Amino acid sequence: MSTVPQNVNLENQPSDSQEATTENANGRPRKRKRRSTSHLKMVPETLDLREEIKSAAENYVRSMSKDRPYSKDELEKLTRDFLVHHDWPEKYLGFAMVLLGNFFWKQQLMAIPFERRLLLLPHCLKHAEGCPADYDEFGLDCETCGACSIADYKVKAEQLGYKVLVAEGSPIVLKIIVDGYVDGILGVACLNVLEKAIDKILLAGVPSYAVPLHSGDCKNTSLDEAWVWDVLDKYEPLPQEKTASYVPLMREAKQLFDAPHFDELVPLSRGKESHSEQSFLSKTELVSRDWLATGGKRFRPFITLAAWDARNGGDLTKADTSTSESLGIPVSVKKAAIAIEAFHKASLVHDDIQDDDQYRYGEETLHLQHGIGQAINFGDYLIGEGYRLLAQCHVENDPAAVGDIVQKMSLAHIKLCEGQGAEMSWTAAPSLELTPIDAMQIYALKTSPAFEAALYSGLRLAGPMDEYESMVAMFCRHVGVGFQILNDLKDWRGDVRNKVIIGQDAMALRPTLLLALAIKVANKEQRQILQSVLDGDDNPLHRLEQLKLVFEQTDVFSKAEALVDKSRERAEAIADEVEPESLRRFLYFLVDTVIAPEEEMTPLEVQQNGLVDLTISVSS
């Protein structure tokens, strides 16, 4: 029997093909350089070898602590040691990571009743030729015709009570989890998809078991079918303590905006009798409340709830996710969380007007629907609603708490306006005087305050902030800057899920870090091109082509990625020193979630661009 070696070497020297890592004071790995990983996603060629690795992985995991989820970096380090211990090549890294993750969660998944599980199947198991099924908003709408193996699993799973979803990449999976429909996932996918989609789901603490496809060519591929049946129809009570999960708090944050909770926490200000859809008197409140209650992923309210819980020991991460019972979070914490979202939604309304954006959450922006004047008023209303909610908060034996939070919110509001104003001022008169420091200062003003206000509010409602005040500010600065740089990079990949055009920020002549980096190192000819772009003499598409050419020549994309890594490392270094452990782990979770590079979309996801990305994201 194989077990975890006592002297595990987690600091393997990186080769040219592997990602270099270091460890922080808590043994948490940090990435220094991201490289291509396609050569690390090979599935063993024979069933015998796959079974051998599977059996060894099950034995290996028995010695692992299961009190909290492992991050992707931590799991990778353990997996590299696992491969070295068994003298298996590095090319099986992705495959082995999936198996170690499987056996970490297997017992907890099998303890979930069938009706609370999701079976996730890929489109590529179907026969590519002649399949009558079409895609709808929930994936492949397949008939049980017996033409492919999907039907075999689908029929049995549905008889047992599973929810079944057929879709590659599963962009709606976490939404299904957070909405409370299921508590665990049995999934089949290629290693590329597993790395992209399942990673964030596991990080959140969702019990999952994945069966890798034998190839990733997305055309009539195959799998080890017996591995599906190992779990599909098995139910066993949990013999051990539940692993911590942020799903209960994610669900609580989402439920704040669902009826009847929302109406209880955010009562109508004018009274129900005066509200009707036809009344011009009620329009502002009705539209503003609807905008607040719908759309978005509720990440900032989640931060406030989870920060409050983390400072109190993190007990709610062990809550039973199978029940709809309240977690017992104080009303004041809930109202503060909703206030954070009200301020955020107000800023989005105003940003969309200032940036002339056309879409938000896949729909036309409010100023296109109702006019600029009305939209400004909706945003202003939400600012007032946020402060009204804060005024209703109360912390027993700590009368200064609400005042401190209001002060932090107001400062965040001021910084946001300063950052937005600086951006608009430069855009009104663009020049080559923009430096990388200038761009990052704008980022720190525009993005970091929202994270800081959300984190601060949860911590302050749990107690005084003397030991956390400076930590929160510095941590959120690095997280916010890293997040905004990632948005710069994402802008050049496009975002069909939210109807974003490639290079939109560039064509709008916004002071991005990429542009500032290019200006800093550009030669005479490149500066002339950049100046012509800023002058706006050519058509937008030609300007975009010219800008992309200079960006590639000056290597600003890789430089920006390096700055993201630096932001991540600095944020983690701050988190390393934080107590209690439950709060430190939550800060790590924020870093992993907010400063996590997004994989490019698969061709199928591009085809299904009506689907909204509902993995953990804070871009909306």
Side-chain angles (χ1 to χ4, degrees):
M1 177 182 295
S2 171
T3 58
V4 181
Q6 293 301 309
N7 298 312
V8 177
N9 178 15
L10 297 180
E11 296 194 36
N12 298 319
Q13 294 299 314
S15 65
D16 291 339
S17 63
Q18 110 183 27
E19 294 182 351
T21 62
T22 59
E23 282 188 0
N24 63 19
N26 289 286
R28 178 181 171 82
R30 292 186 183 136
K31 293 289 183 65
R32 289 200 306 265
K33 180 71 175 177
R34 294 187 179 275
R35 298 180 173 89
S36 173
T37 59
S38 59
H39 62 292
L40 305 177
K41 300 172 186 174
M42 304 299 293
V43 176
E45 297 78 4
T46 67
L47 175 60
D48 287 345
L49 181 54
R50 293 194 294 272
E51 291 285 359
E52 184 179 356
I53 297 176
K54 177 186 173 188
S55 177
E58 185 171 16
N59 289 331
Y60 191 89
V61 167
R62 289 193 177 110
S63 300
M64 292 170 58
S65 171
K66 296 183 177 61
D67 63 329
R68 63 172 182 85
Y70 283 82
S71 70
K72 182 179 177 181
D73 292 351
E74 291 171 321
L75 187 58
E76 178 182 330
K77 294 186 72 177
L78 287 170
T79 306
R80 287 188 179 279
D81 178 77
F82 169 74
L83 293 176
V84 169
H85 182 66
H86 291 278
D87 199 25
W88 284 317
E90 185 188 34
K91 66 181 181 179
Y92 298 147
L93 178 66
F95 178 79
M97 283 179 68
V98 169
L99 296 188
L100 290 182
N102 281 350
F103 290 112
F104 180 92
W105 289 107
K106 183 178 179 181
Q107 290 298 322
Q108 299 196 57
L109 177 64
M110 291 198 301
I112 296 172
F114 297 130
E115 63 272 15
R116 301 290 302 172
R117 300 185 198 176
L118 171 70
L119 174 62
L120 178 64
L121 297 170
H123 79 289
C124 50
L125 281 179
K126 72 183 181 72
H127 286 288
E129 302 296 333
C131 176
D134 295 319
Y135 285 95
D136 61 19
E137 60 180 320
F138 298 110
L140 188 67
D141 182 17
C142 60
E143 301 288 341
T144 57
C145 62
C148 66
S149 57
I150 284 179
D152 298 333
Y153 307 129
K154 190 172 187 290
V155 170
K156 181 60 176 178
E158 289 177 339
Q159 288 174 345
L160 290 169
Y162 277 74
K163 311 295 187 298
V164 181
L165 180 67
V166 183
E168 180 180 348
S170 63
I172 65 172
V173 168
L174 198 69
K175 170 108 174 23
I176 295 173
I177 294 284
V178 173
D179 283 352
Y181 295 111
V182 297
D183 297 314
I185 303 167
L186 170 58
V188 178
C190 65
L191 289 180
N192 279 327
V193 170
L194 291 176
E195 179 184 56
K196 177 175 58 177
I198 303 301
D199 174 37
K200 291 183 178 180
I201 294 171
L202 292 178
L203 182 64
V206 180
S208 304
Y209 191 96
V211 180
L213 296 171
H214 292 164
S215 68
D217 60 9
C218 295
K219 186 175 181 180
N220 295 331
T221 188
S222 58
L223 73 157
D224 296 315
E225 297 192 13
W227 292 19
V228 179
W229 297 108
D230 283 346
V231 175
L232 182 66
D233 57 355
K234 305 296 191 301
Y235 172 79
E236 299 175 4
L238 187 65
Q240 59 195 33
E241 184 180 4
K242 182 181 182 293
T243 298
S245 167
Y246 289 109
V247 170
L249 290 156
M250 291 177 185
R251 286 183 178 171
E252 189 82 359
K254 185 262 180 188
Q255 290 170 0
L256 294 178
F257 300 88
D258 293 340
H261 309 289
F262 184 73
D263 291 333
E264 294 171 355
L265 292 165
V266 191
L268 292 166
S269 62
R270 295 177 58 85
K272 293 182 179 179
E273 64 280 355
S274 66
H275 282 78
S276 69
E277 294 184 2
Q278 291 75 33
S279 172
F280 66 90
L281 291 173
S282 63
K283 180 174 182 177
T284 296
E285 182 166 24
L286 289 176
V287 174
S288 301
R289 283 169 56 85
D290 180 69
W291 174 249
L292 175 58
T294 59
K297 303 174 181 71
R298 315 304 184 194
F299 190 73
R300 290 162 183 81
F302 159 75
I303 290 176
T304 298
L305 300 184
W308 177 85
D309 175 59
R311 188 171 181 184
N312 284 305
D315 292 341
L316 297 184
T317 62
K318 298 290 185 72
D320 186 358
T321 58
S322 65
T323 69
S324 58
E325 294 183 6
S326 171
L327 298 181
I329 296 175
V331 170
S332 291
V333 180
K334 294 180 180 180
K335 284 182 176 286
I338 297 175
I340 290 284
E341 187 75 351
F343 294 136
H344 172 58
K345 286 292 191 73
S347 72
L348 293 183
V349 178
H350 293 159
D351 283 356
D352 287 344
I353 295 170
Q354 293 162 346
D355 298 338
D356 196 23
D357 286 334
Q358 299 181 21
Y359 295 99
R360 178 69 65 178
Y361 308 132
E363 302 289 339
E364 280 193 331
T365 49
L366 284 184
H367 68 275
L368 290 183
Q369 295 182 45
H370 301 279
I372 291 177
Q374 282 276 43
I376 291 173
N377 198 50
F378 297 148
D380 291 344
Y381 180 93
L382 288 174
I383 293 172
E385 186 67 86
Y387 284 111
R388 179 171 78 119
L389 287 165
L390 290 179
Q392 295 169 355
C393 295
H394 171 73
V395 181
E396 189 174 357
N397 299 322
D398 192 353
V402 174
D404 290 346
I405 293 172
V406 170
Q407 173 77 353
K408 183 63 66 175
M409 295 283 192
S410 62
L411 290 175
H413 205 146
I414 290 171
K415 289 179 182 178
L416 173 63
C417 292
E418 289 177 340
Q420 185 75 354
E423 179 178 285
M424 290 190 295
S425 296
W426 184 91
T427 300
S431 72
L432 296 181
E433 298 304 313
L434 180 70
T435 69
I437 294 297
D438 293 335
M440 286 195 285
Q441 284 181 333
I442 292 174
Y443 290 175
L445 288 169
K446 284 190 61 178
T447 308
S448 302
F451 293 117
E452 183 178 352
L455 182 60
Y456 180 95
S457 297
L459 295 177
R460 182 64 185 91
L461 288 167
M465 286 294 292
D466 296 345
E467 60 181 312
Y468 298 120
E469 189 90 35
S470 60
M471 178 277 292
V472 168
M474 292 303 299
F475 175 83
C476 291
R477 180 182 178 88
H478 294 309
V479 169
V481 169
F483 166 71
Q484 193 62 51
I485 298 173
L486 279 179
N487 264 6
D488 276 3
L489 295 168
K490 182 180 178 181
D491 182 52
W492 285 94
R493 290 199 297 267
D495 182 8
V496 300
R497 297 166 183 156
N498 206 25
K499 301 185 180 179
V500 174
I501 303 169
I502 290 177
Q504 182 171 260
D505 286 344
M507 286 194 287
L509 296 182
R510 291 172 187 150
T512 67
L513 177 67
L514 295 174
L515 177 59
L517 290 170
I519 291 172
K520 181 179 180 180
V521 299
N523 58 33
K524 183 177 180 180
E525 180 182 354
Q526 291 165 341
R527 288 182 70 88
Q528 290 176 342
I529 294 174
L530 292 174
Q531 186 63 60
S532 69
V533 169
L534 297 183
D535 291 341
D537 296 333
D538 297 326
N539 69 71
L541 289 179
H542 183 257
R543 294 204 308 269
L544 191 65
E545 292 173 357
Q546 293 288 91
L547 200 55
K548 182 177 181 182
L549 176 64
V550 174
F551 282 5
E552 290 174 343
Q553 291 174 343
T554 54
D555 195 29
V556 298
F557 294 116
S558 63
K559 291 175 182 176
E561 289 172 354
L563 289 172
V564 172
D565 289 339
K566 183 172 290 187
S567 294
R568 178 189 178 99
E569 290 173 5
R570 288 175 174 173
E572 286 187 332
I574 292 171
D576 289 345
E577 308 302 321
V578 172
E579 296 290 346
E581 182 183 4
S582 54
L583 178 55
R584 182 168 68 251
R585 291 296 173 191
F586 176 59
L587 297 181
Y588 288 153
F589 174 81
L590 290 182
V591 174
D592 288 333
T593 303
V594 177
I595 321 181
E598 294 191 10
E599 301 287 340
E600 293 186 7
M601 296 179 68
T602 66
L604 182 68
E605 289 176 307
V606 174
Q607 173 187 333
Q608 301 171 23
N609 59 23
L611 293 178
V612 179
D613 180 7
L614 292 167
T615 53
I616 306 175
S617 171
V618 295
S619 62
S620 56

